[in-house]
Amino acid sequence: MKFQKNILIFLIFTGLSLAVLSGVYIQSMKSSVLTILMLTPTISCILAQRITHQPLNFKQLKPDLSKNKKILLIVYFATPLLAFGGAFIYFILFPNHFDPLHSEIAKQWQLTGSSAYFSQLMMMLPLAVLMNPIGGLLQCLGEEFAWRGFLLPALTKQMGRFKGVLVSGTIWGIWHAPIILTGFNYGTEHPVLGMLAMILFCIVLSGLSSWLYFKTHNLWPSIVFHAVLNAIDKITPAKLFMSQPANPFIGPNLTGIVGGSLLIFISCICYYLIYKGEQIQSNTETSIRFKK
């Protein structure tokens, strides 16, 4: 596959930054290093465009709330529903795993009664859903400006929307590999399998994020979606409802195939819409050329 010059330069800078900062993270295991790492794709994107003397599209960072307010609200509040809906399916399939009174959160709150636990949960969970994503918006902007705002459009011009979404999602997943190999998200027992699972997970997320971008021609829906996903990682269903260690490849967390089943379903719909839209556009262009 032959990439454009600006894409290659972007990938080189992104890879170098990843190599350096993932090495620092492995040595220090400080979350602040990951925060800096999330900003490096946009820095690499800016450097690539400067070197190749190509303009950057900063207009896509304008929130344009008059047009995008509804979709932003849907993304903000529907994404947690997908996460906990997937967890609900998991606990239907594995009811013996549901043990909230002995969960990590129950121990943290020092609550032993069902009434007290769920009363506390009903107060804490909506507040966490509302507030936690806000703290991650800057870091997610650092990724999304590069992955969706630069790489996706560049690949789309080269290979079309559907393939562009798949390839950009794959690259995004590979970018996570060094951190995943340390045990992040999928543990240390199967690091290579965890890396492959993360690539597939990013391909899934790429479908929904890319559809949001194509739908609005704006980055904020994708940024918000990314920030909400990261925020859910702080209040995972496993922390809330399980006493035993969760299987990261199955669930109930979003990274598992059952825990993430609703997200996978929605993403498949998005891929279908992207593919159909591309086919319709191609047929229309062919018809116009034929008429001429």
Side-chain angles (χ1 to χ4, degrees), residues 170-186:
T170 303
I171 293 171
W172 186 28
I174 292 171
W175 179 78
H176 287 85
I179 305 303
I180 298 302
L181 287 172
T182 67
F184 201 84
N185 281 349
Y186 291 96

Side-chain angles (χ1 to χ4, degrees), residues 12-289:
I12 290 169
F13 278 125
T14 303
L16 289 172
S17 302
L18 177 64
V20 172
L21 288 174
S22 60
V24 173
Y25 175 73
I26 290 168
Q27 292 295 319
S28 66
M29 300 303 287
K30 292 182 178 179
S31 59
S32 58
V33 179
L34 296 183
T35 300
I36 297 170
L37 180 60
M38 290 177 72
L39 300 175
T40 58
T42 286
I43 296 171
S44 301
C45 164
I46 293 171
L47 290 172
Q49 294 298 81
R50 291 278 183 177
I51 290 171
T52 56
H53 305 290
Q54 297 188 41
L56 282 162
N57 182 10
F58 289 107
K59 290 182 180 179
Q60 59 193 338
L61 284 174
K62 184 180 178 181
D64 202 357
L65 292 177
S66 61
K67 293 181 179 178
N68 299 320
K69 180 171 64 175
K70 184 177 179 180
I71 199 165
L72 285 169
L73 287 172
I74 291 172
V75 168
Y76 204 100
F77 293 107
T79 303
L81 292 178
L82 293 178
F84 286 95
F88 179 74
I89 294 171
Y90 175 87
F91 287 121
I92 288 176
L93 295 174
F94 306 100
N96 57 315
H97 291 183
F98 187 74
D99 189 16
L101 294 183
H102 296 94
S103 66
E104 180 181 327
I105 294 295
K107 291 176 182 177
Q108 183 180 318
W109 292 340
Q110 297 181 337
L111 298 173
T112 56
S114 297
S115 178
Y117 174 81
F118 284 105
S119 295
Q120 182 73 6
L121 184 66
M122 288 304 102
M123 288 190 293
M124 181 279 292
L125 195 57
L127 186 63
V129 167
L130 185 64
M131 300 303 297
N132 284 357
I134 297 172
L137 288 174
L138 178 61
Q139 302 95 292
C140 293
L141 187 155
E143 282 200 50
E144 292 301 319
F145 186 81
W147 303 125
R148 248 60 63 185
F150 164 73
L151 184 62
L152 178 63
L155 290 174
T156 295
K157 288 180 182 178
Q158 189 169 340
M159 60 185 67
R161 282 191 173 186
F162 186 80
K163 289 182 180 178
V165 174
L166 283 173
V167 173
S168 64
T170 303
I171 293 171
W172 186 28
I174 292 171
W175 179 78
H176 287 85
I179 305 303
I180 298 302
L181 287 172
T182 67
F184 201 84
N185 281 349
Y186 291 96
T188 56
E189 291 186 8
H190 306 285
V192 176
L193 185 59
M195 181 184 67
L196 294 174
M198 190 63 192
I199 292 171
L200 290 174
F201 187 58
C202 285
I203 290 172
V204 168
L205 297 182
S206 181
L208 213 161
S209 291
S210 300
W211 181 83
L212 289 170
Y213 178 74
F214 292 141
K215 177 73 174 177
T216 62
H217 302 288
N218 190 277
L219 278 173
W220 280 104
S222 298
I223 293 168
V224 168
F225 175 60
H226 196 156
V228 173
L229 285 175
N230 287 355
I232 291 169
D233 201 42
K234 299 176 183 178
I235 49 166
T236 61
K239 292 178 181 178
L240 293 173
F241 303 121
M242 288 182 67
S243 57
Q244 63 189 66
N247 187 321
F249 302 102
I250 299 175
N253 297 340
L254 267 177
T255 52
I257 193 167
V258 177
S261 57
L262 294 183
L263 186 67
I264 293 169
F265 175 72
I266 297 297
S267 184
C268 287
I269 293 174
C270 290
Y271 270 107
Y272 172 77
L273 293 173
I274 291 168
Y275 178 79
K276 286 295 291 184
E278 189 174 37
Q279 292 296 109
I280 291 170
Q281 183 180 359
S282 177
N283 292 338
T284 301
E285 290 173 355
T286 302
S287 177
I288 292 171
R289 286 197 299 268

